[in-house]
Amino acid sequence: MKKFLAFVLALAMVMALAACGGNNKNTGGSTPGGNAGNDTGGGSDETVTLTLAHIRPVDSPSDVAIRAFAEEATELSGGSIQFEIYPASQLGDYTVVQERVSIGDVDMQIASLGSNMDEFFAMSNAAYLCATWDEARTVFAEDGPMVSLYAEKLANYNMTYLANYPLYFGGISLNVDAVDPTNPNAKSGIKIRVPSMTTFEKTATTLGYLATPLPSSEMFTAVQTHVVDGAIGAGAEMYYGNLSGLNKYYLPINDHFECWWMYINTDRWNSLSDNQRSALQTAAQHMSEARWEIAEEETKEYEQKLADSGCVVVEYTDEQLEEFAGVVREAVWPVIAEEYGAENFEAVTGSIQ
């Protein structure tokens, strides 16, 4: 019996020593799921998928450009950034998506900025903020006051600015004969649709039209049924696509400049690596630069498409456009400056005066 007990005790000691030896073996090494498995020194970035919304249809020029941006950002990030792109306002109206980006429900958007969040965001659409493409390049320059102010305002709402994307200069589409269209002081009395913004309402009335605020979704039916006989607040591209068959005259008076803004939820931005943030910034800047190179020519192409469809596209000299700008600026700017903050407005307009 004593020999048996001694054998049991010896066996227990051998097993204990074996267990201790096994633990000592792992102490200086790594285990699956341990630190070695999460090594961040020189390793690849964690793959993330960003949701990106925009408002144009699939295969439109803007959709093609945005997809090219996504491809470049993915490549520059070494494949660690992937995108889920939602075109044609699939995630909601751009003003709704803007709020969703702010709270992090959507990662990114490229679109106009809605004044529902802050009246300041409507300033880039202000009447004759710029009147020529040269002025537009100055006003929307990356190192200019406009971009600086927008980046600051976006940051206040938990959004980080990446780039701007120029679309076109705006004009007036009419479904009736134009009345003295090269005269900014003509009083035609034609009723036209305007966006529900002071700058467009005041511009329309200053130029002798009767302003009727309507959302863009109601524009086609309103013109078709002659609730209104024209529209302001868009350019040749949008009129060609949204008012097909209803454009009798187009007046490219450059009343406002349409520019989109690309931005990302700030919390999402901060969660990315330096390499991923650099990839996004570089691709966004390349997209913006490429767009500035072709936007002016594309505007002319859409004006030609309107002409080819039977619409009379009125031609304006530089002097006539300057006259329109002078009349509207004198009447409208004092009214709208306070909406955006007089100091902000003066800082931006001062760059072209």
Side-chain angles (χ1 to χ4, degrees):
M1 185 67 176
K2 290 181 179 179
K3 290 182 178 181
F4 176 76
L5 290 174
F7 172 78
V8 171
L9 290 172
L11 180 62
M13 292 178 64
V14 169
M15 293 178 67
L17 288 171
C20 291
N23 286 340
N24 288 337
K25 181 179 180 180
N26 286 334
T27 299
S30 61
T31 59
N35 290 336
N38 293 319
D39 182 19
T40 58
S44 60
D45 294 326
E46 178 182 355
T47 300
V48 298
T49 300
L50 302 177
T51 51
L52 170 57
H54 72 85
I55 63 178
R56 286 293 192 265
V58 173
D59 294 332
S60 64
S62 296
D63 179 63
V64 172
I66 291 166
R67 291 183 184 278
F69 151 80
E71 290 176 5
E72 182 179 6
T74 296
E75 181 179 353
L76 290 174
S77 70
S80 67
I81 297 179
Q82 301 293 321
F83 292 89
E84 291 180 356
I85 299 177
Y86 294 89
S89 300
Q90 290 178 4
L91 299 183
D93 177 79
Y94 73 92
T95 59
V96 173
V97 176
Q98 180 176 319
E99 294 176 347
R100 295 180 68 183
V101 173
S102 178
I103 64 175
D105 191 32
V106 176
D107 293 318
M108 300 174 63
Q109 179 169 226
I110 176 169
S112 301
L113 282 168
S115 58
N116 56 308
M117 182 173 284
D118 194 311
E119 287 186 344
F120 171 83
F121 286 136
M123 185 167 72
S124 66
N125 291 134
Y128 287 104
L129 193 64
C130 46
T132 66
W133 283 97
D134 285 342
E135 287 184 351
R137 292 183 182 92
T138 297
V139 170
F140 290 89
E142 287 294 326
D143 59 353
M146 170 70 87
V147 169
S148 177
L149 287 167
Y150 265 72
E152 181 181 336
K153 280 288 185 179
L154 283 166
N156 291 340
Y157 294 95
N158 199 38
M159 295 181 284
T160 296
Y161 166 82
L162 290 175
N164 61 46
Y165 184 91
L167 268 291
Y168 49 69
F169 272 102
I172 297 173
S173 172
L174 297 176
N175 194 25
V176 295
D177 290 340
V179 176
D180 199 6
T182 59
N183 179 9
N185 296 304
K187 304 298 179 184
S188 71
I190 298 172
K191 185 183 292 187
I192 62 174
R193 171 264 174 180
V194 302
S196 297
M197 296 167 60
T198 304
T199 182
F200 290 108
E201 293 182 31
K202 186 64 176 176
T203 297
T205 57
T206 297
L207 296 177
Y209 296 91
L210 301 180
T212 302
L214 289 171
S216 59
S217 59
E218 298 178 18
M219 182 169 60
F220 181 89
T221 301
V223 175
Q224 184 183 47
T225 59
H226 290 282
V227 171
V228 295
D229 290 311
I232 193 173
E237 176 203 3
M238 186 172 179
Y239 292 134
Y240 178 76
N242 291 25
L243 292 180
S244 179
L246 300 178
N247 300 293
K248 189 172 183 179
Y249 276 81
Y250 179 57
L251 286 55
I253 58 173
N254 290 8
D255 64 279
H256 78 286
F257 190 70
E258 185 71 21
C259 186
W260 288 349
W261 305 85
M262 174 177 272
Y263 50 92
I264 182 172
N265 172 269
T266 298
D267 295 328
R268 189 61 153 155
W269 173 255
N270 290 338
S271 74
L272 302 176
S273 70
D274 290 343
N275 174 58
Q276 290 169 330
R277 288 195 291 264
S278 176
L280 284 176
Q281 285 179 318
T282 300
Q285 194 58 42
H286 288 170
M287 178 188 66
S288 177
E289 292 170 353
R291 180 62 195 176
W292 278 106
E293 289 294 322
I294 67 172
E296 182 176 4
E297 189 59 35
E298 184 183 275
T299 295
K300 294 177 183 178
E301 290 174 3
Y302 275 100
E303 289 175 359
Q304 186 60 50
K305 288 182 179 182
L306 283 174
D308 293 342
S309 70
C311 175
V312 176
V313 178
V314 179
E315 295 186 5
Y316 293 88
T317 65
D318 291 342
E319 291 74 20
Q320 288 170 328
L321 289 175
E322 288 177 6
E323 187 178 3
F324 270 85
V327 168
V328 172
R329 284 169 175 169
E330 182 178 0
V332 178
W333 279 10
V335 177
I336 64 176
E338 291 302 324
E339 290 187 0
Y340 315 127
E343 185 176 345
N344 293 336
F345 194 68
E346 290 171 6
V348 173
T349 56
S351 65
I352 60 170
Q353 291 181 322

